């Protein structure tokens, strides 16, 4: 086998390795935290905080109501006990009871409102929680797929590197050195010759070049400098 063909085969492997490595790093960049999951987690935390505050508010209102109920009972007990004889004092006490009752009614109204808000917030928390679970499951599935794909690519890359090694052992080290320099410079070091045209630069080769390519030597395109390979 001519050295140009060997180098061409080596290049095929190199290009395949490059492409697989690109895919691998693209996949690696997709691994990690999900923005969507983080966003919903924050949303959940906010709603949970709100719910906690509402429950706290609900309890204080309930305690205030209990306190008022006790006060009303005590005042009414005094009012109907007959212990107070003074009419002015009785009227005052009556007003006091009415005021306490009005305050109690107002707080009971407020307690109902808060209870409503608590229920709404509880529904929200449950809804966001569900959403989060769904997102997390989807994200985990994706991550699993990505790491499976990474494993698959790594195995392919390892095979390709082995293939590269085997191919390169058949080629003179000097030729490989030259090939690698050209690759660094031009991306592709070996260009096929098709219908008298160098596929590297798409320029028609002079007859002398074509004749030399048919020999067993390493011939460079006189236009782009790539190693020519006649299939
Ligand atoms: Zn060329």
């Amino acid at each position: 086998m001519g050295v140009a063909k060997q180098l061409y085969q080596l290049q095929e492997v190199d290009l395949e390795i490059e492409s697989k490595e690109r895919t691998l790093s693209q996949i690696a960049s997709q691994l990690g935290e999900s923005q969507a999951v983080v966003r919903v987690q924050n949303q959940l935390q906010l709603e949970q905080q709100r719910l906690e505050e509402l429950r706290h508010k609900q309890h204080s209102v309930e305690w205030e109501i209990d306190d008022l109920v006790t006060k009303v009972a005590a005042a009414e007990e005094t009012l109907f006990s007959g212990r107070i004889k003074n009419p002015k004092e009785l009227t005052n006490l009556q007003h006091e009871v009415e005021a306490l009752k009005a305050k109690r009614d107002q707080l009971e109204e407020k307690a109902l409102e808060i209870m409503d808000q608590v229920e709404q917030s509880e529904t929200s928390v449950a809804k966001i929680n569900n959403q989060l679970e769904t997102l997390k499951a989807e994200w985990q599935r994706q991550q699993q797929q990505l790491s499976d794909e990474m494993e698959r690519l790594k195995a392919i890359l390892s095979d390709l590197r082995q293939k590269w090694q085997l191919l390169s052992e058949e080629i003179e080290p000097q030729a490989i050195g030259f090939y690698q320099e050209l690759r660094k410079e031009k991306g592709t070091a070996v260009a096929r010759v098709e219908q008298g045209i160098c596929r590297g630069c798409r320029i028609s080769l002079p007859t002398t070049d074509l004749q030399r390519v048919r020999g067993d030597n390493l011939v460079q395109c006189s236009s782009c400098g790539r190693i020519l390979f006649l299939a």
Side-chain angles (χ1 to χ4, degrees):
M1 196 194 302
V3 68
K5 184 171 184 183
Q6 287 176 310
L7 289 175
Y8 184 79
Q9 285 175 341
L10 196 66
Q11 177 171 277
E12 296 266 88
V13 176
D14 265 335
L15 293 175
E16 185 78 25
I17 288 175
E18 244 174 39
S19 145
K20 292 284 183 286
E21 276 175 344
R22 250 197 317 272
T23 313
L24 197 62
S25 70
Q26 272 166 5
I27 291 173
S29 73
Q30 289 172 55
L31 280 170
E33 225 172 39
S34 150
Q35 291 303 311
V37 169
V38 171
R39 192 169 41 78
V40 177
Q41 258 166 350
N42 289 338
Q43 215 180 325
L44 179 64
Q45 207 183 349
L46 280 178
E47 192 58 46
Q48 278 170 334
Q49 246 167 32
R50 185 170 166 259
L51 179 59
E52 209 180 310
E53 279 162 15
L54 280 168
R55 279 180 177 148
H56 185 76
K57 214 160 125 186
Q58 188 182 23
H59 288 146
S60 9
V61 171
E62 278 164 1
W63 286 327
E64 262 187 276
I65 292 170
D66 280 351
D67 189 43
L68 280 169
V69 167
T70 311
K71 279 181 180 158
V72 167
E76 279 184 331
E77 198 272 328
T78 313
L79 191 64
F80 302 123
S81 67
R83 289 197 297 274
I84 298 170
K85 309 286 186 213
N86 183 325
K88 190 164 188 295
E89 226 177 293
L90 270 174
T91 311
N92 282 346
L93 189 56
Q94 220 156 18
H95 285 157
E96 200 187 315
V97 168
E98 274 158 26
L100 286 170
K101 279 181 172 170
K103 176 85 180 150
R104 183 201 59 198
D105 291 349
Q106 203 186 347
L107 280 177
E108 271 170 353
E109 193 95 358
K110 194 175 162 190
L112 281 176
E113 267 171 41
I114 296 170
M115 215 205 302
D116 242 22
Q117 288 172 334
V118 165
E119 273 169 22
Q120 275 169 21
S121 181
E122 278 168 349
T123 309
S124 282
V125 165
K127 210 171 116 188
I128 298 169
N129 229 334
N130 267 339
Q131 202 187 344
L132 185 62
E133 289 311 310
T134 310
L135 272 174
K136 268 188 183 167
E138 171 69 7
W139 174 75
Q140 269 159 1
R141 199 183 55 77
Q142 273 175 0
Q143 296 287 299
Q144 188 55 52
Q145 259 180 6
L146 289 173
S147 46
D148 288 350
E149 180 62 8
M150 270 181 100
E151 287 313 306
R152 197 182 69 84
L153 282 168
K154 279 179 185 169
I156 292 174
L157 273 167
S158 152
D159 285 350
L160 285 168
R161 290 200 177 101
Q162 210 176 344
K163 196 172 167 191
W164 194 97
Q165 197 56 41
L166 287 174
L167 282 170
S168 70
E169 278 164 14
E170 303 292 317
I171 310 170
E172 269 185 55
Q174 237 180 333
I176 291 180
F178 180 54
Y179 157 82
Q180 278 171 329
E181 260 174 56
L182 267 177
R183 273 259 302 149
K184 223 179 275 173
E185 196 187 321
K186 298 177 186 298
T188 55
V190 189
R192 287 175 79 103
V193 177
E194 277 168 15
Q195 291 165 333
I197 291 168
C198 162
R199 298 299 294 171
C201 62
R202 288 166 200 281
I203 279 175
S204 282
L205 294 162
T207 325
T208 45
D209 276 3
L210 285 172
Q211 277 164 353
R212 285 170 62 223
V213 169
R214 287 194 185 96
D216 216 13
N217 300 320
L218 241 172
V219 180
Q220 283 178 268
C221 169
S222 49
S223 162
C224 69
R226 289 184 177 88
I227 298 162
L228 294 170
F229 163 55
L230 191 65

